[in-house]
Amino acid sequence: MFLVAVHSSRLGPATGGTRMMAYPSLDDARSDAMRLAGAMTYKWAAADFPRGGGKAVIALPSAPLTPAERTGLLRRYGTFLRELSGRFWTGGDVGTSSADMDVIAESGAPYVFSRTPERGGAGGSGSWTARGVFAAIETVCGRLFGEASPRGRSVVVQGAGSVGASLIERLVAAGARVSWSDPSPTAAARLSVHAALARVAPDRCLDAEADLFAPCALGRVLSAETIPGLRTRAVVGAANDQLAEPEDAARLRDRGILYAPDFVVNAGGAVAITGIEALGWSAARAEREVDRIGETLSRVFAAADREGLTTEAAARRLAEERLRAGRSQEGR
Ligand code: PHE
């Protein structure tokens, strides 16, 4: 089952990742696609990038697919994308890789970003997203501790997928004290540094004590149930759709936990890949643009202070101002 949700094309063609996983029900798949499409609208707007919000979900059956079945599914999905004739453009997300984008593009080009470099794409988006999260972490550390470097700070990273693993490596290289969790038995193999790190059981990472908590797995981890048990100063991670409901932003604030809004923090992959492939950016330009996430987050924190808003509300307001203004005038 393919579900494509288009939330807005006000700033440009709707563009978002394709998530491929099994859902408990079709309703769950549909609400995930719709929430994530809305998050993409805010992500592009907050990043001042001329694209609109959309997301695709390939809802898998609960029984695993054979490799041939999986390839067939991706090809049919590519044909479906082509039939949409540009009303939705895509890249990778949870459950899809740049090798998968190669297959989808066989029938879905040109509406597919993030193919492998061998096939002319910009490759996977995970390390770009991690670069942006790292910039956000520097802003958070600057605000909380007076020093941008995470050196010596304890960070719990939830999820060691393509973003989480890359973030862990960056944090370790910067001298942070990292612990991580991932339910997959093969996750440690993705981390060149794992032997030196503490691994936390997945059900404990939400109450592990740390300076920073970086959710880099699935969404809705911050809720009325989990927020009271958090033992961290800040939440700053890559997962999409981290707040289970809007009230969670105030719950975090009331606990004195600094929340870095997900759609500001996690824009790096989408911005870099789409910038390189659709706007012809060099890698150096993409790095500069992704690093701007740190400054955008500073502006969000300053606006929240000034206006007495939650950081989530301040970030939404920034995005809504851009949406009202229409397409970026900054020459992109
Ligand atoms: N998974 C990315 C995100 O959630 C989506 C994306 C990746 C879009 C690559 C375009 C290109 O932001």
Side-chain angles (χ1 to χ4, degrees):
M1 178 78 68
F2 313 131
L3 297 158
V4 171
V6 170
H7 179 266
S8 166
S9 43
R10 182 158 170 77
L11 299 182
T15 304
T18 295
R19 177 167 291 200
M20 183 151 81
M21 55 186 263
Y23 287 86
S25 73
L26 191 54
D27 264 355
D28 290 295
R30 184 173 50 210
S31 83
D32 210 26
M34 290 174 67
R35 288 172 68 124
L36 293 166
M40 286 306 303
T41 298
Y42 280 85
K43 187 182 308 192
W44 294 123
D48 202 14
F49 194 97
R51 287 270 161 175
K55 199 88 178 191
V57 160
I58 303 180
L60 292 176
S62 47
L65 299 177
T66 65
E69 285 169 341
R70 194 169 183 283
T71 302
L73 185 63
L74 293 175
R75 290 217 175 99
R76 289 197 300 284
Y77 173 62
T79 303
F80 175 59
L81 280 186
R82 185 123 91 197
E83 284 164 10
L84 293 177
S85 59
R87 277 186 291 168
F88 176 68
W89 297 64
T90 202
D93 199 76
V94 174
T96 55
S97 64
S98 52
D100 294 333
M101 296 302 122
D102 289 349
V103 177
I104 296 168
E106 288 170 16
S107 48
Y111 309 114
V112 185
F113 297 126
S114 213
R115 285 167 300 154
T116 61
E118 295 72 39
R119 297 286 183 93
S125 57
S127 67
W128 288 108
T129 305
R131 183 182 180 100
V133 177
F134 190 85
I137 284 176
E138 290 181 319
T139 294
V140 166
C141 286
R143 180 178 169 102
L144 288 179
F145 310 117
E147 212 183 296
S149 167
R151 170 168 296 280
R153 307 291 168 207
S154 55
V155 188
V156 173
V157 179
Q158 178 185 37
S162 67
V163 178
S166 175
L167 179 64
I168 290 168
E169 315 246 322
R170 280 176 196 276
L171 287 167
V172 169
R177 292 183 289 126
V178 177
S179 45
W180 65 286
S181 82
D182 193 301
S184 163
T186 56
R190 285 195 288 269
L191 298 175
S192 59
V193 290
H194 73 274
L197 303 177
R199 187 167 181 171
V200 185
D203 60 342
R204 299 312 309 274
C205 66
L206 280 154
D207 56 18
E209 193 167 354
D211 293 319
L212 309 179
F213 172 47
C216 297
L218 295 178
R220 298 180 232 178
V221 290
L222 305 170
S223 67
E225 288 74 51
T226 62
I227 291 169
L230 291 177
R231 288 192 295 157
T232 187
R233 302 278 309 274
V235 178
V236 48
N240 279 306
D241 196 24
Q242 290 172 27
L243 303 179
E245 53 181 10
E247 294 75 23
D248 295 319
R251 290 191 179 104
L252 288 163
R253 178 184 58 187
D254 294 347
R255 282 220 48 215
I257 296 170
L258 180 62
Y259 174 59
D262 49 10
F263 62 85
V264 174
V265 172
N266 67 16
V271 162
I273 297 292
T274 311
I276 291 169
E277 294 195 24
L279 304 183
W281 289 355
S282 65
R285 169 93 192 260
E287 287 176 4
R288 284 199 304 278
E289 298 283 350
V290 171
D291 291 344
R292 283 178 48 195
I293 287 172
E295 291 140 43
T296 303
L297 188 60
S298 295
R299 288 179 53 193
V300 165
F301 289 159
D305 287 346
R306 208 171 46 237
E307 326 262 342
L309 298 169
T310 64
T311 53
E312 172 80 6
R316 286 194 169 266
R317 199 143 98 180
L318 169 72
E320 280 157 9
E321 278 163 18
R322 297 243 169 91
L323 283 163
R324 258 198 305 280
R327 283 187 189 235
S328 164
Q329 298 302 306
E330 287 181 25
R332 286 180 182 160

